[in-house]
Every structure is written in C-alpha cells, then in structure tokens.
Amino acid sequence: MRNIIAGIFLLSALLMSCGIGSQVDRLKALEQCSFGFQSADSVYLAGNDVPKLISRGEAGLLANPSLVLAMLQRKIPFKARILIQVLNPGQEEAGISAFEYKIMIKDVQLAEGYFDKPLVVKPEGGTTLVPVKIDTDLYPVLSNSRNQKAIADFLSQQTEQIAVVTLKIKPAFDLGEKKINYPGYIDISREISNRQLKSFLAAR
C-alpha cells in the first residue's frame, strides 16, 4: 500500500468538501496497517477438497480422475474462504466503509469480489479479520501445462518455495446514500511459502 498516500492527497480536498474527511483519515491510517493471511478453509477444486488432494499426493492436475474430467469439460471451479488479518499499530482508527477486491498470484487473477461491510481496525495494536471469498473458474490458468507444473511443484516440494500473493482493493467512501469509489486499486502484496499455505489449509 505504499502508493496510497499520493492518491489520498489528490482526493483530500474534494472529499473534505463533501463532508467525509473522517473517512479519509481512517483510510490514511489503513496505509500504516499490516496485512497477513490468517487461514484458508472450504478450499475446493472441481468439487475436491484441496487439503485432502495434497495429503494424498494428488497436487498434480492429472493425478485425480475428477480433475481430468473437469479439464476435458473446460471448467475447473475453485472455491475458498480466506481470512485476512489486519493489524493497526498506529494511534488513529483505521478503516473503510466497503471495497472491491482482486486476488492475484503474479499476473494471474484468481478472484474478484465486493466486501460491503465496514472495515474498522482499532488503534494501538487493534486487529480485525476480513473474510474474503474466492469463487472462480481456474480452467484458463490450469489449461497451461507450465502453470500446472508450477502449482504442483509449489504444493508438493518438501523444500520451501515462495510465491507472491497480491490483494488489490478499491475503497469506497460513504456520501449520504451514495458511495464514491477510490480511483484505481491499492496493492497489498505478501510473500507466502508452500509450508505456510499447507499450515493455513490444515488449520481449518
């Protein structure tokens, strides 16, 4: 979220004049927050429980008959629920009223959606958990054999492997009964290892 301040200052005059300055202050405070992946549950690929696939050594797409069938049908539904922890070390309350989001690994978009509940993080070490749902078709990603191998290797390797996951959010400000969208997305990136991912999946 390093670029958030520049965008906020460009909008501050307009937003202050609209009477939503406190929302701008909370968004500024959100820039100082740290974000981490707390857990992942209800993770299914083409109807298969992903942790069970991994535990049986079936991380490769062609290791499971139902995944092969899904590939032939050109549709591989992927569903998951991710809990993101937001920690506020600052002195001011942080938050936004709502936001659009996208989840990316490298340049590949895994999911997009809209979180329509206020996000509020208390100051001085306050934390909150944000549930983000993924419901997408991974066929465009997994139809590429290189992507298949990269994912299988990441999940099956005993040595630590690192991937960068990016959460892109577009905040919204309340103005009466209307919402004003932030121009563009704010990127929140974090490295995650295959060991961490497996521990997230195991903590269901």
Side-chain angles (χ1 to χ4, degrees):
M1 296 181 70
R2 295 178 180 176
N3 295 327
I4 187 173
I5 292 296
I8 290 174
F9 281 133
L10 290 175
L11 289 179
S12 291
L14 172 61
L15 296 178
M16 290 293 186
S17 67
C18 293
I20 55 177
S22 62
Q23 295 179 64
V24 175
D25 292 336
R26 288 198 296 272
L27 184 56
K28 290 179 182 178
L30 195 64
E31 190 271 340
Q32 303 300 324
C33 292
S34 62
F35 294 76
F37 294 97
Q38 179 75 9
S39 65
D41 60 35
S42 303
V43 185
Y44 290 92
L45 181 64
N48 292 272
D49 189 308
V50 171
K52 290 182 179 179
L53 290 181
I54 296 172
S55 67
R56 295 198 301 260
E58 297 181 6
L61 184 64
L62 300 181
N64 182 282
S66 62
L67 295 182
V68 174
L69 179 60
M71 173 64 82
L72 293 175
Q73 294 175 337
R74 297 177 176 247
K75 187 174 183 179
I76 307 177
F78 177 66
K79 296 183 178 182
R81 179 177 178 269
I82 298 174
L83 278 180
I84 297 174
Q85 184 183 66
V86 186
L87 169 66
N88 183 5
Q91 302 298 312
E92 303 295 332
E93 184 177 88
I96 47 181
S97 62
F99 59 91
E100 297 177 23
Y101 65 84
K102 296 180 180 180
I103 299 176
M104 316 280 294
I105 295 183
K106 294 186 177 179
D107 295 326
V108 178
Q109 179 177 313
L110 292 183
E112 63 180 345
Y114 186 75
F115 190 82
D116 60 357
K117 298 178 181 179
L119 169 61
V120 178
V121 192
K122 298 298 183 181
E124 300 180 345
T127 62
T128 190
L129 295 176
V130 182
V132 174
K133 292 182 180 181
I134 298 177
D135 189 353
T136 190
D137 179 11
L138 286 187
Y139 178 78
V141 177
L142 295 180
S143 59
N144 184 304
S145 60
R146 290 184 180 180
N147 290 340
Q148 287 184 36
K149 185 176 186 306
I151 293 172
D153 288 348
F154 182 76
L155 294 175
S156 62
Q157 287 289 336
Q158 297 301 314
T159 57
E160 189 172 35
Q161 305 290 319
I162 301 295
V164 176
V165 179
T166 300
L167 174 67
K168 302 171 74 71
I169 65 172
K170 178 185 286 188
F173 299 94
D174 287 326
L175 180 58
E177 297 181 354
K178 297 182 179 180
K179 290 188 182 296
I180 298 177
N181 289 324
Y182 185 89
Y185 285 86
I186 299 165
D187 291 355
I188 306 164
S189 297
R190 182 185 170 184
E191 290 185 345
I192 184 171
S193 71
N194 52 350
R195 293 176 182 174
Q196 289 175 317
L197 180 59
K198 290 177 182 180
S199 69
F200 293 155
L201 294 173
R204 299 187 300 163

